[in-house]
Amino acid sequence: NEGNEYFKEKDYKRAVVAYSEGLKKKCEDPELNAVLHTNRGAAQFHLGNYRSALKDAIQAKKLKPTHLKAIIRGALCHMELKNFSEAIAWCEDGLRIDSKEKKLVETRAKADKLKVNIKAVEHLPVPVTCFVSTSTLGSLVVECSERKIKLVLEPSNEEEEISDSLAEMSLDGFHCDNATGAKVHLDTDGNLNWPVLFLYPEHEQTDFIAAFHENSRFIDHLMVMFAELPPWDLERKYLPSNLELYFEDEERTEMYEVNPGHTLLQVLQHKRYFVKAGTPTVLALVKHSPFSEKYFCGKKVHRL
C-alpha cells in the first residue's frame, strides 16, 4: 500500500524501495508476490531502469504465468531495449490469454515494424543513424560541447583521422549497433539523459540504466538498484554504503574514484573522463575487499 501511494505521487524511487521491503517479507502467496514484482517493475520502468524492470516482469510471470500486467510490462521493456523479437514473443504469450488486449496488439504491431526496419539497416553498407536525424545528432554533440563533456568519436570508415563532417561521423551511442539500443537524448526540459553501464568486475556482472538523468546522483540509483541484493551477491556485501565507484582513464591506465553524491554531469565533466560509444561507464567495487586490492594492483588510483 505504501508503494502504491508513492507510485500515485510519481515518487518512483521510494515506490521501488517500498515494494522491495514487501518482497523481503517472503510471503508465501505467489499472487501477492507477482503483484509486488509487477508494481516494482512498473516503478523501475518509469525511472528508465528497463533491465531491472524486465527482471521483475520475468519473476512475476514465473509466479503467475497469466498475469497480463507483468506480460505487458515485459513486452514494453523489451521494446525499450530494442529486443524486438523478444517483445513479439511476450506479446504473443499475452494475446493467447486475451486476444483483444489493446496494448499488446499495438506493441506487437510496432515490434514487427521496427524489427523489419532494423533488418533493413543491417544490410546497408555504411553505418546509419537509428531513429536520430543528422541534425539531432549535431545538436547533441553541441549540447555535450557546451557542457564540456568529452566524447570519443570514431570514424564511420577505416580512416585514421576523424572527419569534421557530422554526416561521416559515427558515435555508437546514437546508432543501431549500440549494445543496448539505448541512446543519449534531450528531454523536454533541455536536459541530457544517458545510457549508463555499471560494471561489477568481481562477479563479471553488469547493470544498465537506459535513461540516467544528467542531474541525478549516483547514490540515488544505487539505493534503487540494491534495494534488494542481487542473486549473485552470495556474501551479501553489495550494499550502497559498502560500494566504491570508479572510472578508468585507459590512456594513462589510471583509476579515478567517483563521489556517489555527485551527479552524472559532474562526473562527465571531469577533465579525464571520456565518453566512449555514447555510453558512460563506471565500475563498482566493495570497499577494502581482497578483490579490490588485487584489481588496483599496478594501477595509479586517484582517490577522493
Side-chain angles (χ1 to χ4, degrees), residues 118-141:
I118 290 295
K119 282 186 175 180
V121 168
E122 287 173 348
H123 287 90
L124 292 173
V126 293
V128 176
T129 303
C130 182
F131 313 124
V132 182
S133 67
T134 302
S135 60
T136 303
L137 175 59
S139 66
L140 287 170
V141 173

Side-chain angles (χ1 to χ4, degrees), residues 200-213:
Y200 312 111
E202 183 174 2
H203 295 277
E204 298 182 351
Q205 297 287 333
T206 63
D207 263 323
F208 176 69
I209 296 176
F212 194 132
H213 191 287

Side-chain angles (χ1 to χ4, degrees), residues 134-201:
T134 302
S135 60
T136 303
L137 175 59
S139 66
L140 287 170
V141 173
V142 170
E143 291 287 343
C144 291
S145 177
E146 289 179 349
R147 289 167 169 75
K148 297 183 180 180
I149 297 173
K150 295 166 287 299
L151 304 173
V152 177
L153 305 178
E154 298 181 359
S156 58
N157 51 34
E158 294 182 357
E159 295 177 3
E160 290 184 2
E161 295 192 9
I162 298 172
S163 169
D164 290 332
S165 170
L166 282 174
E168 297 178 20
M169 184 174 65
S170 169
L171 182 58
D172 290 348
F174 303 138
H175 285 267
C176 293
D177 53 1
N178 175 268
T180 61
K183 53 192 176 295
V184 60
H185 64 273
L186 273 173
D187 60 24
T188 54
D189 296 321
N191 297 304
L192 288 175
N193 291 263
W194 293 85
V196 176
L197 190 63
F198 284 77
L199 305 178
Y200 312 111

Side-chain angles (χ1 to χ4, degrees), residues 249-289:
D249 181 349
E250 294 181 10
E251 182 182 330
R252 298 182 179 179
T253 320
E254 297 179 358
M255 305 290 295
Y256 287 83
E257 187 176 358
V258 173
N259 185 336
H262 281 180
T263 65
L264 175 60
L265 179 58
Q266 287 176 298
V267 174
L268 297 185
Q269 290 176 329
H270 190 284
K271 62 182 180 180
R272 294 305 303 172
Y273 199 101
F274 300 91
V275 180
K276 295 186 177 182
T279 306
T281 302
V282 294
L283 295 91
L285 298 105
V286 176
K287 295 177 183 178
H288 313 302
S289 67

